Amino acid sequence: MIPTPPPAPGASPGASGRVGTLAGKTILMSGGSRGIGLAIALRAAADGANIAMLAKTDTPHPKLEGTVHSAAEQIRAAGGNALPIVGDVRNDDDITEAVLKTQGEFGGIDIVINNASVIDLSPSLDLAAKKYDLMQDVNVRGTFMLSRTAVPILRESANPHILSLSPPLNLDPKWLGAHTGYTLAKYGMTMVTLGLAAEFAPDGIAANTLWPRTTIATAAVQNLLGGDRVMAASRTPAVYADAAYEVLIKPAREFTGRTLIVEDVLTDAGVTDFAGYAAVPGTPDDRLFPDIFV
């Protein structure tokens, strides 16, 4: 975890481009019951942030650890305040309820994190139509609707941010042709976010994306991308969480419309040694598995 200077009320950004910490800030996140989303929430909770999570996992899944309720318990244990909201980012009523509940519980919203995402790397002829629709609904539409619904409240924040966990737009046929359905869904998240950055720049709302250079040791990697072999050659979710933290404490009016890479963000923040993020201690950087799209 990157050390953070103590908060200074009303402080202006220093040489590092920071605006203090996330203490007292309110985050509304889609998903977050486990993995990268939970890691980001716990990093913010260490500052004393308020985290509302809109997630479907109300009861334990036979193959996946964690529910929105167990995530809330971990957030509180880490020093934050938690509001677990059971709902589906595909459902407009659930989104509206989540935004209003978050505002009602914490008095506002400072940050929206579009974490919920569906992955299916099937080639086009093998991809089920329902799965294609699901990826579009969760990844693209969910990002748009959750962000849009929160904008009127974000406008009232002193340093409002939208952060989407999606990749830079890379039109290399290597990625466009590898898994067209999934590529469209992830690039759609990025395009939504860049569009919001341009549209709401006059309101001072930052909108950025963040993506890792290596695979991250999560259930998705374990179950869909290569099992134990790729897990052992990945970094922990903490690397994503620390990078997200650095983005979210930037001055929103000055840091927006960017497609960011996790490792570049941390390097800019002064991190020179990434060894501590290896899922298997001692794994050299050149043995880590590269993530897609980068």
Side-chain angles (χ1 to χ4, degrees), residues 104-120:
E105 180 74 14
F106 300 120
I109 298 173
D110 301 288
I111 296 164
V112 170
I113 299 179
N114 295 299
N115 165 73
S117 183
V118 176
I119 179 172
D120 190 319

Side-chain angles (χ1 to χ4, degrees), residues 184-195:
L184 286 172
K186 293 307 289 189
Y187 285 5
M189 289 180 69
T190 298
M191 292 183 72
V192 164
T193 307
L194 293 176

Side-chain angles (χ1 to χ4, degrees), residues 48-237:
N50 309 312
I51 297 108
M53 289 180 162
L54 172 62
K56 289 176 59 181
T57 313
D58 186 30
T59 57
H61 188 282
K63 295 183 179 180
L64 298 172
E65 294 184 3
T67 68
V68 67
H69 305 294
S70 64
E73 292 174 0
Q74 293 182 62
I75 289 166
R76 295 180 186 117
N81 298 306
L83 178 63
I85 303 170
V86 178
D88 192 333
V89 76
R90 294 174 295 172
N91 186 305
D92 293 350
D93 290 339
D94 287 357
I95 288 175
T96 299
E97 182 179 16
V99 168
L100 294 177
K101 278 187 173 180
T102 303
Q103 182 186 37
E105 180 74 14
F106 300 120
I109 298 173
D110 301 288
I111 296 164
V112 170
I113 299 179
N114 295 299
N115 165 73
S117 183
V118 176
I119 179 172
D120 190 319
L121 301 181
S122 298
S124 297
L125 297 183
D126 297 332
L127 180 64
K130 287 185 177 180
K131 184 59 73 71
Y132 176 91
D133 291 342
L134 179 63
M135 288 193 290
Q136 287 290 324
D137 283 348
V138 173
N139 301 7
V140 187
R141 189 180 188 279
T143 293
F144 178 80
M145 295 302 298
L146 182 62
S147 301
R148 183 182 78 164
T149 305
V151 160
I153 303 171
L154 287 172
R155 281 180 169 141
E156 304 302 316
S157 170
N159 196 49
H161 278 266
I162 296 169
L163 182 64
S164 300
L165 308 191
S166 60
L169 299 176
N170 184 346
L171 300 185
D172 188 328
K174 173 182 179 181
W175 299 125
L176 286 174
H179 26 66
T180 302
Y182 178 63
T183 299
L184 286 172
K186 293 307 289 189
Y187 285 5
M189 289 180 69
T190 298
M191 292 183 72
V192 164
T193 307
L194 293 176
L196 295 174
E199 185 175 359
F200 296 108
D203 296 293
I205 299 174
N208 298 290
T209 71
L210 185 63
W211 195 252
R213 185 164 282 119
T214 74
T215 52
I216 304 296
T218 63
V221 168
Q222 175 72 55
N223 298 331
L224 301 173
L225 294 184
D228 293 340
R229 181 179 67 87
V230 177
M231 287 285 280
S234 299
R235 288 191 168 121
T236 66

Side-chain angles (χ1 to χ4, degrees), residues 214-215 229-235 263 273-290:
T214 74
T215 52
R229 181 179 67 87
V230 177
M231 287 285 280
S234 299
R235 288 191 168 121
E263 289 81 357
D273 184 359
F274 287 81
Y277 293 118
V280 175
T283 304
D285 286 354
D286 61 4
R287 298 292 299 276
L288 294 174
F289 201 85

